[in-house]
């Protein structure tokens, strides 16, 4: 699907409320409909189906219970990532749930206050301004990275932190991120 919507390039502060879609402007809901096939009428039914699929999933049963939240906003995040197809959303959730085990060396370091070497070297950032298509803009400066000073694990952990931050935003769930 094409994003023909054009947004003003202006500051849009990071949303500290995870998955909060209360009061979201109609232009974002229309964009979600266009890009993700989001249907406000079918939304509740698909969230229920997704929740049931999670509860029955053998792989997800093996994950730490505290790592899986079943609140509406969290479920919606994964349904958007799967374009509102329950099985696609399940694949995304399974992959996400296994990140900590598969990439422990990065995820375990993903504590923003412990990544000062990355932040102080200005190696990557997420802009507060969205592009004209409503996407967050991720900038990483590989040319400035000195692996002798900043270990690869910290560099990747910082990218993970930034992606986790914006994945919580409804607007970013809808419009995405550009690099």
């Amino acid at each position: 699907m094409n994003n023909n919507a054009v947004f003003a390039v202006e500051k849009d502060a990071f949303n500290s409320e995870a998955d909060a879609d209360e009061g979201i402007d109609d232009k974002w809901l229309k964009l979600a409909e266009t890009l993700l096939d989001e249907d406000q009428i079918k939304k509740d039914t698909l969230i229920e189906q997704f929740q049931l699929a999670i509860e029955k999933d053998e792989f997800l049963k093996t994950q730490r219970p505290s790592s899986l939240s079943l609140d509406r906003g969290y479920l919606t995040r994964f349904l958007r990532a799967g374009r509102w197809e329950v099985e696609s959303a399940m694949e995304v959730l399974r992959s996400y749930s296994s990140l900590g085990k598969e990439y422990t060396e990065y995820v375990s370091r993903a504590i923003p206050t412990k990544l000062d070497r990355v932040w102080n070297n200005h190696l990557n950032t997420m802009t507060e301004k969205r592009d004209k298509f409503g996407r967050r803009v991720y900038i990483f400066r590989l040319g400035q990275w000195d692996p002798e000073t900043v270990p690869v694990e910290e560099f990747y952990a910082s990218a993970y932190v930034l992606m986790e931050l914006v994945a919580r935003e409804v607007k970013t769930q809808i419009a995405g991120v550009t690099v």
Side-chain angles (χ1 to χ4, degrees):
M1 291 276 168
N2 289 331
N3 177 0
N4 294 325
V6 176
F7 294 82
V9 176
E10 58 191 11
K11 192 172 183 178
D12 184 14
F14 296 101
N15 190 346
S16 61
E17 286 292 316
D19 309 305
D21 60 1
E22 294 81 27
I24 190 129
D25 192 289
D26 280 344
K27 69 181 178 183
W28 290 98
L29 296 177
K30 287 178 185 162
L31 186 60
E33 190 177 309
T34 301
L35 295 178
L36 308 174
D37 296 325
E38 190 165 314
D39 184 334
Q40 297 302 312
I41 296 169
K42 296 178 182 176
K43 193 173 187 174
D44 289 334
T45 302
L46 289 169
I47 289 171
E48 287 176 27
Q49 289 175 5
F50 186 42
Q51 187 167 8
L52 288 172
I54 291 168
E55 291 169 1
K56 292 178 183 176
D57 190 85
E58 292 302 318
F59 173 76
L60 293 174
K61 286 179 186 178
T62 67
Q63 300 302 299
R64 292 186 347 237
S66 62
S67 70
L68 290 177
S69 170
L70 296 181
D71 71 66
R72 181 181 174 82
Y74 189 79
L75 296 173
T76 300
R77 181 189 312 181
F78 287 94
L79 281 163
R80 284 186 175 125
R83 292 199 57 192
W84 290 92
E85 295 173 6
V86 172
E87 190 48 45
S88 294
M90 288 295 293
E91 289 175 29
V92 174
L93 181 57
R94 285 185 204 109
S95 293
Y96 177 80
S97 297
S98 66
L99 280 175
K101 288 182 181 175
E102 289 183 37
Y103 301 100
T104 305
E105 65 274 19
Y106 309 122
V107 176
S108 64
R109 295 175 189 239
I111 302 166
T113 57
K114 300 208 181 228
L115 296 170
D116 286 343
R117 287 190 283 194
V118 178
W119 311 136
N120 292 339
N121 282 286
H122 307 286
L123 296 177
N124 59 8
T125 191
M126 193 71 67
T127 64
E128 276 192 274
K129 290 184 178 181
R130 294 177 181 277
D131 73 2
K132 69 179 186 175
F133 300 111
R135 301 174 298 194
R136 282 284 184 207
V137 179
Y138 174 66
I139 299 170
F140 64 108
R141 299 174 180 100
L142 285 176
Q144 291 183 4
W145 175 40
D146 177 4
E148 299 295 322
T149 307
V150 178
V152 67
E153 294 84 2
E154 288 182 21
F155 186 65
Y156 285 158
S158 69
Y160 178 77
V161 165
L162 292 171
M163 293 302 167
E164 279 289 319
L165 171 70
V166 298
R168 300 162 48 100
E169 299 178 313
V170 171
K171 291 177 183 178
T172 304
Q173 292 168 15
I174 293 168
V177 174
T178 189
V179 179

